[in-house]
Amino acid sequence: MRIRELFTARDMTEGAPWKRIAEFAIPMLIGNLFQQLYNTVDAAVIGHFGPENALGAVTSTGSIVNMMIGIFNGLSLGTGVVLSQAYGAHDEKRIGKVVHTTIMATLILCVIATAVGLLIARPALVWMKTNPEHMAMSTTY
């Protein structure tokens, strides 16, 4: 499907507003639900199948995981604004640039976030006063 076909198929400025808002909001709601369930499912699986201290390790890292999700959600919202402006202006060239830049930035930021996460995992857990029994597993998780 070409980009031009997308403009006619999903133009948010035409049609009933409630329908367009629902078409936009429902997938976002489902995505947010899955993000919120991420740590909960980890805790449930580890609590049932993992070793005794593993549940404490997973739950003690929940704040760090949620912080990272929040940072990347914020970045994606900013990208969405720029992409929406290009889409609304029917500027296919700019849409391509935004998408390609976003993909490259995501790859670079994932590498940086991984490196920073490896460096600050233990100090962050110490600052959060993580139980010493859970520290090794929390750091690994």
Side-chain angles (χ1 to χ4, degrees):
M1 181 180 287
R2 294 184 48 219
I3 291 176
R4 185 161 309 281
E5 293 170 10
L6 289 174
F7 289 126
T8 57
R10 296 277 184 203
D11 192 342
M12 295 285 286
T13 62
E14 295 179 3
W18 67 268
K19 185 176 180 186
R20 296 294 178 223
I21 291 170
E23 288 174 348
F24 180 75
I26 290 172
M28 288 184 64
L29 178 68
I30 293 168
N32 286 337
L33 177 66
F34 279 110
Q35 286 176 344
Q36 293 300 318
L37 289 175
Y38 174 81
N39 201 264
T40 305
V41 170
D42 275 353
V45 170
I46 293 296
H48 188 67
F49 298 108
E52 189 174 316
N53 286 337
L55 181 58
V58 169
T59 56
S60 66
T61 60
S63 298
I64 296 170
V65 170
N66 288 331
M67 178 188 69
M68 295 303 291
I69 289 171
I71 289 170
F72 282 98
N73 270 343
L75 291 171
S76 68
L77 287 172
T79 299
V81 169
V82 176
L83 185 59
S84 296
Q85 289 172 342
Y87 184 86
H90 301 285
D91 187 348
E92 293 182 36
K93 188 174 182 178
R94 187 170 175 214
I95 291 171
K97 285 182 180 180
V98 171
V99 169
H100 293 122
T101 302
T102 301
I103 291 169
M104 185 56 69
T106 299
L107 293 173
I108 292 168
L109 288 172
C110 285
V111 170
I112 292 170
T114 300
V116 170
L118 291 172
L119 291 173
I120 70 163
R122 182 169 285 285
L125 291 166
V126 169
W127 293 332
M128 292 170 38
K129 300 186 188 323
T130 300
N131 188 333
E133 295 174 6
H134 303 142
M135 186 61 76
M137 283 191 205
S138 295
T139 305
T140 302
Y141 179 74

